[in-house]
């Protein structure tokens, strides 16, 4: 059900490429706040589209538009924009900094649909501290399609999530390793996109 007020809501922090403010299927301020790393642009704009897609998967409204998120109306969002319109990767120190922002904003869940091969003690300790403080970090297991470990998902304090298709088979691109704790739908999942960037297909029979 829908929470009765802000005191009942769980704040989710999304570390990604931003958020398309004003999207018809996503709620707006005061339920959504944000910050951005230098050089990435405004947190409320998302030229890459990835962060908006993640936001919709989490919290798209239960209305007559588009899709429905897994927790519509029960969460508030804080966006930390670490990627610009061209994607790319961010330094480990930037990820720790983003995590610190999430904690300062009162987030109870941190969503990170990102990863890389590098791991560091400082990063591992930061996530361990967050978990001990009641903040749940969640990250994608990785898209390499092999058994290698991706970080931050590989850290002990981070929940690593793999992808499965509609037949519950592991997606061919998903990482498969001992770090994976959960698997969730990750193939052909529709979600929100910034206006003008969505793709549709028409079939004439």
């Amino acid at each position: 059900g829908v929470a009765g007020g802000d005191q009942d809501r769980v704040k989710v922090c999304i570390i990604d490429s931003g958020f398309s403010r004003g999207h018809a299927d996503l709620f707006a301020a005061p339920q959504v706040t944000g910050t951005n790393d230098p050089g990435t642009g405004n947190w409320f704009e998302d030229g890459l589209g990835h962060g908006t897609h993640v936001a919709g998967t989490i919290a798209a409204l239960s209305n007559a538009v588009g899709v429905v998120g897994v927790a519509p109306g029960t969460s508030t969002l804080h966006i930390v924009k670490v990627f610009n319109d061209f994607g790319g990767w961010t330094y480990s120190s930037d990820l720790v900094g983003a995590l610190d922002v999430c904690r300062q904003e009162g987030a109870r869940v941190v969503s990170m649909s990102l990863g890389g091969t590098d791991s560091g003690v400082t990063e591992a300790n930061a996530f361990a501290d967050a978990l001990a403080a009641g903040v749940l970090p969640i990250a994608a297991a990785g898209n390499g399609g092999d058994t290698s470990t991706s970080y931050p998902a590989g850290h002990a304090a981070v929940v690593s999530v793999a992808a499965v298709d509609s037949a519950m088979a592991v997606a061919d691109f998903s990482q498969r390793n001992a770090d994976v704790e959960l698997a969730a739908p990750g193939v052909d999942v529709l979600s929100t996109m910034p206006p003008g960037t969505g793709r549709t297909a028409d079939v004439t029979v």
Side-chain angles (χ1 to χ4, degrees):
V2 176
D6 287 344
Q7 71 274 12
D8 301 315
R9 297 176 184 270
V10 173
K11 181 171 281 190
V12 179
C13 193
I14 303 174
I15 302 175
D16 213 293
S17 62
F19 177 88
S20 182
R21 188 166 63 184
H23 193 292
D25 205 21
L26 290 168
F27 45 62
Q31 287 86 8
V32 183
T33 55
T35 49
N36 62 279
D37 282 1
T40 61
N42 296 321
W43 68 265
F44 50 82
E45 296 175 341
D46 184 13
L48 189 63
H50 190 267
T52 301
H53 192 283
V54 170
T57 300
I58 295 170
L61 297 173
S62 180
N63 54 18
V65 177
V67 298
V68 178
V70 297
T74 63
S75 60
T76 60
L77 304 179
H78 186 80
I79 310 301
V80 181
K81 186 172 183 175
V82 296
F83 299 123
N84 60 28
D85 291 354
F86 304 100
W89 180 230
T90 186
Y91 293 107
S92 178
S93 58
D94 294 333
L95 186 57
V96 171
L99 175 64
D100 288 343
V101 170
C102 292
R103 293 184 62 179
Q104 291 164 13
E105 292 294 329
R108 300 304 302 273
V109 178
V110 178
S111 172
M112 299 168 287
S113 184
L114 49 81
T117 57
D118 294 334
S119 169
V121 174
T122 300
E123 185 176 290
N125 289 341
F127 285 110
D129 289 345
L131 184 63
V135 179
L136 181 64
I138 304 173
N143 293 340
D146 54 35
T147 59
S148 64
T149 297
S150 178
Y151 295 92
H155 295 306
V158 179
V159 176
S160 175
V161 183
V164 295
D165 62 20
S166 59
M168 297 301 289
V170 178
D172 58 5
F173 60 79
S174 183
Q175 301 298 85
R176 308 163 178 82
N177 53 48
D179 298 301
V180 172
E181 285 131 329
L182 293 174
V187 180
D188 296 330
V189 175
L190 299 178
S191 188
T192 51
M193 293 292 289
T197 63
R199 293 184 295 274
T200 61
D202 296 320
V203 178
T204 301
V205 178

